[in-house]
Amino acid sequence: MSLQQTLAIVKPDAVKAGNSGNIIAMIEAAGFNIAAMKKTRLTKPQAEGFYYVHAERPFFPELVEFMTSGPVVLMILEAEGAIQKWRDLMGPTDATKAGPDTVRGRYGTSIGENASHGSDAPETAAFETAYFFSCFERK
Ligand code: DAT
Ligand code: MG
């Protein structure tokens, strides 16, 4: 394993419910370095571009609608094996199947409203971190 960066998003459901601080605390307790962080509200084109791989899926309009429904917290997380480590801490996509010690288990409510996002591979992590952060914003 080597030091990796991955993109994390606290999604609108979790921000709205006041759980962004709890999720950041879980991230820090797990030993990630938060290399960059900002709170923003995604525009429709930003959300569509971010999820372009899902553009043909039936749930795409619902996904874009949800991701633009309120503010999000964007972070670059850094750790040894950060991509898998963050996916493990988030739990599975369907929050109703996620364990009680995971972000999605604690703060998500369904497959669509699942509290958080994480990159799934080195290539997507590179695309996703660069999508939201410039090289000057990474510490
Ligand atoms: P993940 O976010 O775990 O990487 P994904 O990349 O397959 O999952 O899908 C991206 C997001 O799209 C997911 O977090 C929630 C939404 N989504 C996925 N499958 C869905 C479905 N069957 N119905 C509704 N929303 C879905
Ligand atoms: Mg994914």
Side-chain angles (χ1 to χ4, degrees), residues 9-124:
I9 305 179
V10 180
K11 293 186 177 181
D13 57 336
V15 174
K16 216 168 282 171
N19 288 319
S20 49
N22 294 327
I23 293 171
I24 292 165
M26 287 176 76
I27 287 168
E28 291 188 320
F32 290 96
N33 173 46
I34 300 175
M37 175 159 67
K38 58 189 168 192
K39 184 172 181 176
T40 186
R41 185 166 179 165
L42 301 184
T43 64
K44 192 163 182 261
Q46 278 174 330
E48 287 170 344
F50 180 74
Y51 279 119
Y52 79 95
V53 291
H54 296 308
E56 303 307 321
R57 303 283 196 93
F59 59 81
F60 186 69
E62 181 193 332
L63 175 61
V64 170
E65 177 75 26
F66 168 59
M67 289 302 290
T68 57
S69 66
V72 294
V73 178
L74 306 171
M75 284 172 275
I76 298 178
L77 307 185
E78 194 172 58
E80 292 287 319
I83 295 169
Q84 191 58 48
K85 185 178 160 79
W86 172 231
R87 299 238 10 141
D88 291 346
L89 184 60
M90 285 200 300
T93 307
D94 185 349
T96 66
K97 299 192 164 66
D101 295 333
T102 66
V103 170
R104 285 167 163 172
R106 282 189 197 168
Y107 304 118
T109 49
S110 66
I111 191 164
E113 307 217 347
N114 58 10
S116 61
H117 167 84
S119 311
D120 63 4
E123 300 71 34
T124 52

